[in-house]
């Protein structure tokens, strides 16, 4: 038996966000695309991890669907019903830019179920670390509505599951290029869940994820946003992790770390303007595993979120999976076009954001 678990399900590949252009469904003046603009096939990612021999280091597990009770740890019953009804009707928009097909509700339940199972497994000591390669993603889904491809908030369901398992302090780290408004909203007033998001400043949702959003009420100080300027690369992300995430985690002392592990901050991704490479995600993942070993007995769960480059997403998933398994960074044929760019080095305007957080956020002062 391995120390690492891999959760995936065939039906997650059957979810279809539609043939629209970007987030826009087919309509007047919108020509259907022949390939998904916003949801590349994750089979290629899993296939590369298998072909590279990295999947051999994991126990591959097939999750069951999340129950209504599990989903309603985060979402309203009306929201769950809306997703189910839109899917049962054969398709449509289940929220805001959240297109579904007949299989989507089932796929979304499996994605959330994978996170819940992974958390229970890791908390019980079945495995030390887990990775959920699931679709649809989740971090934009709010308690009462689907948004931006996200139907149910997978990592938030995982965090609530951890609390149900008796853990008092849960940390959610989100490095998707977009701000995880749904995760932040779910735990905005919860002092026992630390939400940290490293994302591109001002990208999506509009006006979401600013430095001044630090939680409310009893949860004041339990939200920490790191909005990096567009064009940030490897050094900026590693500086944000070592100078902001690590001290915040040590101050909070989580009992488990969950990661919304989107890979759309890459330099080849069409949905963002960042410069990360597979080496960046390998380094960030290694850092989380080391932090978990220091603070919470090694317990950490990674949940796939965004990633929209059909050719580069598989390499980025491989970089993440290799680090979870304690393996070196993979050979990456795409890195040569990104490594030489000036934005890979920490720039003064990027450093100012990190410096400000270090001096002003409640967890950092």
């Amino acid at each position: 038996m391995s120390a690492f678990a891999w959760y995936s399900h065939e039906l997650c590949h059957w979810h279809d966000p539609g043939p629209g252009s970007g987030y826009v469904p087919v309509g007047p003046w919108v020509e259907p695309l022949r390939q998904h603009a916003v949801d590349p096939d994750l089979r290629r990612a899993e296939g590369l991890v298998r072909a590279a021999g990295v999947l051999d280091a994991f126990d591959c597990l097939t999750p069951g669907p999340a129950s209504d009770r599990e989903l309603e740890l985060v979402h309203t019953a009306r929201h769950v019903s809306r997703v189910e009804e839109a899917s049962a009707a054969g398709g449509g928009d289940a929220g805001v830019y959240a297109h579904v097909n007949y299989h989507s509700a089932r796929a979304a339940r499996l994605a959330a179920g994978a996170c819940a199972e992974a958390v229970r497994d890791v908390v019980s000591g079945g495995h030390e670390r887990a990775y959920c390669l699931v679709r649809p993603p989740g971090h934009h889904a709010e308690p009462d509505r689907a948004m931006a491809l996200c139907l149910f908030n997978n990592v938030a369901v995982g965090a609530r599951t951890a609390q149900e398992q008796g853990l008092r302090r849960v940390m959610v780290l989100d490095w998707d290029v977009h701000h995880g408004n749904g995760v932040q909203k779910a735990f905005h007033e919860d002092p026992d869940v630390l939400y940290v998001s490293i994302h591109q400043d001002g990208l999506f949702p509009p006006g979401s994820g600013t430095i001044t959003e630090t939680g409310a009420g009893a949860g004041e100080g339990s939200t920490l946003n790191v909005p990096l300027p567009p064009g940030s690369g490897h050094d900026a992300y590693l500086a944000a992790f070592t100078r902001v995430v690590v001290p915040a985690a040590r101050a909070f002392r989580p009992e488990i770390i969950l990661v919304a592990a989107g890979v759309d901050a890459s330099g080849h991704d069409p949905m963002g303007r960042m410069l990360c490479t597979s080496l960046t995600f390998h380094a960030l993942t290694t850092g989380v595993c080391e932090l978990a070993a220091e603070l919470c007995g090694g317990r950490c769960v990674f949940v796939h979120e965004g990633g929209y480059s059909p050719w580069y997403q598989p390499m980025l998933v491989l970089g993440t999976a290799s680090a979870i398994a304690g393996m070196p960074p993979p050979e990456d044929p795409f890195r040569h076009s990104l490594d030489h760019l000036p934005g890979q080095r920490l720039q003064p305007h990027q450093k100012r954001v990190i410096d400000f957080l270090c001096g002003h956020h409640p967890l950092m002062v």
Side-chain angles (χ1 to χ4, degrees), residues 142-232:
E142 297 184 342
D144 59 352
R145 64 175 177 172
M147 180 185 288
L149 307 178
C150 300
L151 304 183
F152 302 136
N153 201 313
N154 307 322
V155 75
V157 170
R160 288 297 188 211
T161 301
Q163 291 180 314
E164 278 206 324
Q165 296 298 299
L167 301 191
R168 293 185 56 246
R169 295 181 306 281
V170 179
M171 177 177 177
V172 178
L173 172 60
D174 186 345
W175 59 56
D176 191 281
V177 77
H178 308 100
H179 179 242
N181 57 292
V183 186
Q184 178 171 298
K185 190 169 185 178
F187 303 114
H188 196 53
E189 298 184 16
D190 189 337
D192 299 322
V193 177
L194 171 63
Y195 177 60
V196 184
S197 176
I198 307 174
H199 54 272
Q200 181 180 319
D201 187 20
L203 181 58
F204 186 87
S208 183
T210 65
I211 287 176
T212 58
E213 297 164 22
T214 57
E220 174 61 41
S222 63
T223 295
L224 173 53
N225 286 312
V226 189
L228 292 176
S232 297

Side-chain angles (χ1 to χ4, degrees), residues 218-270:
E220 174 61 41
S222 63
T223 295
L224 173 53
N225 286 312
V226 189
L228 292 176
S232 297
H234 184 85
D235 285 0
Y237 270 78
L238 268 293
F241 184 81
T242 57
R243 295 193 55 208
V244 178
V245 176
V246 171
R250 286 173 175 162
F252 183 72
R253 306 294 300 181
E255 294 168 278
I256 190 172
I257 301 174
L258 310 183
V259 182
V263 293
D264 45 5
S266 85
H268 290 303
D269 201 283

